[in-house]
Amino acid sequence: MPMSRVLLCTRTTDYRHDAIPAAAAAVTALLAEQGSRADLTEDPSALEGDLDRYACVVFLLTSGDILTETARRALRTYVEGGGGFAGVHSAACTEYSWPYYGELLGARFTRHPAYQPGRVDVVDRAHPATQHLPRHWDFTDEWYDFDRRPADARVLAHADESSYDREGGGMGGDGHPLVWCREQGAGRVFYTALGHAEEAYADDRFLAHLAGGLAWAAGRA
């Protein structure tokens, strides 16, 4: 059986994370372990053609408007037709000028407090991205806030807002979604807000979290 392919996009037109090289290397290695080959790109034309040859498209630490209008149409057609999509961390800070992308991802980033230790409450451990995690997972990140709670999504983990200093952030109310998955048309979408720093991509639990989420989005789990 030929090795499946995943398109791994790290393009930025706004804030650029220092972790991108480590993240790209770690995700490429994860995909190889799953029997997939990563096509790494920062070229928007790579998303303009036929995406059906890919098991999944991943936006890894992307930011700003990164797609041409042709690429936007191609990505929408791909996902609606059954393609997989996964977003990591600042994928939620991407394509603000394209309304469909907010619908696809489920929510958009608004703000975050300082990078600091906190706690992830894993509320659904029956998913490949979370089945290995403890109910309460201590982690260090930026604890993203979003413009809404993702509609029609299966929320897998919340941020425990009592575990970190919320100055400059905090959603309050009934849970603070941090990791979720959803269906868009015939496609699958996975998103995790975690993964700001290079250290995350050397953390075994976080890597297993990513591996499960990517496998699910690609329809392999």
Side-chain angles (χ1 to χ4, degrees), residues 9 24 37 55 75 95 143 151 154 184 201:
C9 179
R37 188 185 84 188
L75 181 60
E95 289 292 324
W143 310 108
R154 175 182 170 186
Q184 180 68 32
Y201 299 90

Side-chain angles (χ1 to χ4, degrees), residues 35-212:
S36 297
R37 188 185 84 188
D39 288 352
L40 183 63
T41 189
E42 296 207 353
D43 181 355
S45 68
L47 288 96
E48 290 181 342
D50 180 12
L51 298 175
D52 287 341
R53 64 187 182 276
Y54 293 110
C56 188
V57 173
V58 182
F59 280 13
L60 177 64
L61 300 177
T62 53
S63 71
D65 287 340
I66 63 171
L67 300 176
T68 64
E69 287 300 325
T70 300
R72 287 176 173 180
R73 289 193 296 270
L75 181 60
R76 180 171 187 159
T77 298
Y78 167 74
V79 176
E80 295 289 340
F85 180 84
V88 179
H89 193 57
S90 56
C93 313
T94 302
E95 289 292 324
Y96 281 107
S97 66
W98 185 27
Y100 174 79
Y101 184 77
E103 174 189 340
L104 169 72
L105 202 63
R108 293 183 183 275
F109 165 81
T110 56
R111 61 180 185 170
H112 65 76
Y115 176 75
Q116 62 188 295
R119 183 171 299 117
V120 180
D121 285 339
V122 180
V123 296
D124 185 339
R125 298 175 69 196
H127 188 278
T130 51
Q131 62 188 6
H132 66 289
L133 295 174
R135 175 69 179 81
H136 303 290
W137 178 25
D138 292 328
F139 200 71
T140 301
D141 218 289
E142 288 184 322
W143 310 108
Y144 272 13
D145 290 353
F146 301 94
D147 60 350
R148 61 188 180 274
R149 289 168 176 78
D152 302 320
R154 175 182 170 186
V155 176
L156 305 177
H158 290 153
D160 177 356
E161 292 188 349
S162 70
S163 68
Y164 59 90
D165 180 359
R166 286 180 287 162
E167 183 177 355
M171 292 182 68
D174 185 21
H176 178 150
L178 201 66
V179 181
W180 61 81
C181 61
R182 61 184 307 277
E183 295 180 357
Q184 180 68 32
R188 287 182 166 192
V189 178
F190 170 79
Y191 174 74
T192 179
L194 303 173
H196 166 75
E198 183 173 339
E199 290 77 10
Y201 299 90
D203 182 294
D204 288 342
R205 279 180 171 170
F206 178 71
L207 292 175
H209 168 63
L210 276 187

